[in-house]
Amino acid sequence: MRIGILGTGTLAAALGEGWSRAGHEVAIGDRSRAGAEKLAARLGRGALALAPREAVGGRDAVLLAVPWDGVEDMLGLRARRTARSGGRR
């Protein structure tokens, strides 16, 4: 399964590690590229550090693992892309 994770905190790390160990392809997206790269390196097993939009595109499942006050911003990143593409994903 191809799983995208938005966020790099404790929840993202714990679930990402389990999914990665189980053989799933995990892509990490965060507002901070350095944070995404750090978590992807920690997960190993081919985990990818990508921009948030890239981390969710074409995935079978997406985990939104950000603090409540970051949800609107993170979802807004995806919404702006969808609006610019005329609704195409």
Side-chain angles (χ1 to χ4, degrees), residues 49-60:
L50 303 170
R53 292 180 200 140
E54 296 168 337
V56 300
R59 304 292 160 191
D60 300 310

Side-chain angles (χ1 to χ4, degrees), residues 6 52-53 64 70-84:
L6 296 177
R53 292 180 200 140
L64 179 60
V71 169
E72 188 174 330
D73 182 47
M74 196 60 83
L75 293 179
L77 291 171
R78 179 66 179 158
R80 285 191 294 277
R81 178 180 179 259
T82 302
R84 280 196 309 267

Side-chain angles (χ1 to χ4, degrees), residues 23-85:
H24 299 290
E25 178 185 300
V26 177
I28 309 296
D30 193 58
R31 288 177 288 180
S32 161
R33 182 65 180 236
E37 289 172 352
K38 183 177 176 181
L39 180 55
R42 178 177 157 197
L43 297 179
R45 299 176 191 85
L48 306 169
L50 303 170
R53 292 180 200 140
E54 296 168 337
V56 300
R59 304 292 160 191
D60 300 310
V62 174
L63 170 67
L64 179 60
V66 299
W68 180 251
D69 60 357
V71 169
E72 188 174 330
D73 182 47
M74 196 60 83
L75 293 179
L77 291 171
R78 179 66 179 158
R80 285 191 294 277
R81 178 180 179 259
T82 302
R84 280 196 309 267
S85 69

